[in-house]
Amino acid sequence: MSSDIAFGIFAFYTVTYGITHLGLDKSIFVNATLVGALVAIAAIFITGYFSDKISPKKILGIGNVLLLLYAIPFFYLLNTKNTGLIFLAIIIAFIIHSIMWAPLAPVIASSFPAHLRYSGSAVTFMLRSMIGGGFAPLIATFLLHQFNSGYAISMYIIVAAIIALIALRFVDIKYHKED
């Protein structure tokens, strides 16, 4: 769910954070998100290619490590209130999300035997996006209200990335053959 938590915060909550907490114009964050999304399109294709060549599990792990390392700098860059650095922060965030997104399907699908692969993947994708991405902006809002700092949200992202890295160690992505 770390990729969904990251996306929920990077793509959706950042606009709210910028307007309400930083007092900046909405257009800065909307435009930065649009540019980040365009960059993400290319990043997903590139990361998907490397995921196929190297290993989806390794690429997903790299993405989670990058997410863990970037959570604090992300809010630091936003807090500068510098438009160029805000664009940079969001573009990098979208690239990191793309690194996690591209290998997610093969990692999830290969976690199920062939006769359960389709339904298991579908249920997993829906639950993780609903629980991770759906609640992320709400949790971020709560954390900002409680601590009055984006760094509290960074800690939420870091915890999600650590849990994902621990869980990833237990994933066996060998493709199961039908008996």
Side-chain angles (χ1 to χ4, degrees), residues 2-177:
S2 61
S3 66
D4 292 295
I5 290 169
F7 190 74
I9 291 170
F10 296 155
F12 302 117
Y13 189 73
T14 300
V15 176
T16 302
Y17 179 82
I19 296 167
T20 60
H21 189 71
L22 299 177
L24 297 173
D25 186 59
K26 174 174 72 171
S27 65
I28 295 169
F29 294 91
V30 170
N31 290 331
T33 300
L34 286 171
V35 172
L38 291 173
V39 171
I41 292 169
I44 287 171
F45 282 108
I46 293 166
T47 305
Y49 172 80
F50 284 110
S51 173
D52 288 342
K53 293 295 179 193
I54 299 170
S55 159
K57 185 176 173 179
K58 285 182 184 175
I59 298 297
L60 186 56
I62 289 168
N64 275 287
V65 168
L66 291 173
L67 179 63
L68 188 146
L69 295 173
Y70 188 63
I72 291 174
F74 175 72
F75 281 96
Y76 176 80
L77 291 170
L78 294 181
N79 290 339
T80 64
K81 298 183 180 182
N82 177 298
T83 302
L85 292 178
I86 290 169
F87 269 73
L88 180 66
I90 293 172
I91 290 167
I92 292 170
F94 272 69
I95 291 170
I96 291 171
H97 175 263
S98 299
I99 293 170
M100 293 185 299
W101 182 255
L104 205 52
V107 169
I108 290 173
S110 65
S111 297
F112 295 96
H115 70 283
L116 296 175
R117 193 165 291 149
Y118 184 77
S119 57
S121 295
V123 169
T124 301
F125 264 92
M126 292 307 110
L127 286 177
R128 66 171 244 302
S129 63
M130 182 178 66
I131 295 168
F135 288 111
L138 297 172
I139 293 169
T141 300
F142 171 78
L143 291 171
L144 185 62
H145 178 72
Q146 287 295 115
F147 298 100
N148 197 34
S149 172
Y151 297 116
I153 302 167
S154 293
M155 295 313 297
Y156 170 50
I157 294 170
I158 289 169
V159 168
I162 290 170
I163 292 169
L165 285 167
I166 292 168
L168 195 56
R169 293 189 46 83
F170 296 99
V171 172
D172 180 17
I173 65 162
K174 292 186 296 189
Y175 289 96
H176 306 284
K177 292 188 178 184

